[in-house]
Structures are given as C-alpha cells and as structure tokens.
Amino acid sequence: MQLLSFFATIAFSFISVSSAVVSSRSALDVFVPTIISPNATTVWVMGTNATVSWDPSNAPVHISNGASVYLRHWGYLAKGFSLRDGNVTVQVPIIPSTLINPNETHNIILFGDSGNESPNFIIKLDPNALPDRAPEGKWD
C-alpha cells in the first residue's frame, strides 16, 4: 500500500509541475508588428546604413523571443534588439555583382515571436564597393 501511495504522490507531482509549465507558456503572446520600412518604394544602397522600422504600438506585455532582421537569400542583418524599439539600423550588405540581378527585388523578415515579411524593395549596386568574393560567413 505504501508503494501505491508513493507512486500516486509522484504522479500527482508530475501533473502539477506539467500544468504549471503549460500555464506559464500560455501567458506568452504572439506579436507580429507591421513593417513600415523597407516598403515597395524603398531603395537601399550597398555598403550604407538603412533603417528597418515597424509599428510597436500593440506590443504585448510578454514577448517570448529576441528579435532579428533577416535579408532573404543573404543572412541576418541584426540580432538581439527589442521589438518594442520600433526600429533598428542595419548595414546593407555588399553583394557581389555575380550574385545580384539589378532587376531583382529583395525583402527582409522581422523575426520575434513569429516572422513577417516586408514588401519587396530594391538593393542598388554600388560598383565602387564590390569585393572580389563574398565576405566570410555571409552564406546560409
């Protein structure tokens, strides 16, 4: 009988701990802010700084993840900032001319609790700043 009581106590403890973990996870909210910039009229110039901005006005109390900005087909441009800031400055990468089509559009993904994409925009070539090869660690 003591063995049965022991197992019942362990099972009850496990259920209590499990439900506490589930309830704390449910307190987190998903925040998908509207990206303001870049937008469809944006032109970034390689090698310059650009601002990625979004609307932080409806940010929930709990945001579960750190934020990052990802340039599609290139890599991360910024990591570790707060989505409550509403903007982050990034350096526009220098993309070798063999890898970019001047007519191609790009977009960024703002990651936090989930990812949302900007409208497509243009990254303008700067022929004076093109390297002979891609910078180390920029490919994923």
Side-chain angles (χ1 to χ4, degrees):
M1 193 61 151
Q2 285 182 331
L3 188 59
L4 181 60
S5 175
F6 173 74
F7 285 120
T9 302
I10 290 175
F12 179 73
S13 297
F14 178 74
I15 292 169
S16 297
V17 169
S18 297
S19 64
V21 169
V22 170
S23 65
S24 66
R25 291 284 296 160
S26 64
L28 301 175
D29 297 313
V30 174
F31 179 46
V32 185
T34 301
I35 296 173
I36 299 167
S37 177
N39 58 46
T41 63
T42 298
V43 176
W44 282 0
V45 176
M46 287 187 232
T48 64
N49 288 333
T51 301
V52 175
S53 60
W54 57 92
D55 180 4
S57 63
N58 294 320
V61 174
H62 302 285
I63 298 176
S64 61
N65 296 318
S68 61
V69 173
Y70 182 85
L71 178 62
R72 186 175 296 281
H73 306 300
W74 181 257
Y76 288 97
L77 301 181
K79 290 182 178 180
F81 54 90
S82 172
L83 285 174
R84 287 186 180 82
D85 292 345
N87 67 72
V88 65
T89 300
V90 300
Q91 184 172 16
V92 181
I94 298 171
I95 304 171
S97 59
T98 56
L99 300 175
I100 191 167
N101 176 343
N103 299 319
E104 182 179 18
T105 57
H106 302 272
N107 67 356
I108 57 103
I109 301 169
L110 178 64
F111 286 108
D113 295 320
S114 63
N116 55 325
E117 295 183 36
S118 72
N120 288 338
F121 63 95
I122 293 176
I123 295 179
K124 183 176 161 184
L125 293 170
D126 182 355
N128 297 322
L130 294 174
D132 293 334
R133 60 184 177 79
E136 295 294 324
K138 286 295 185 180
W139 304 109
D140 26 298

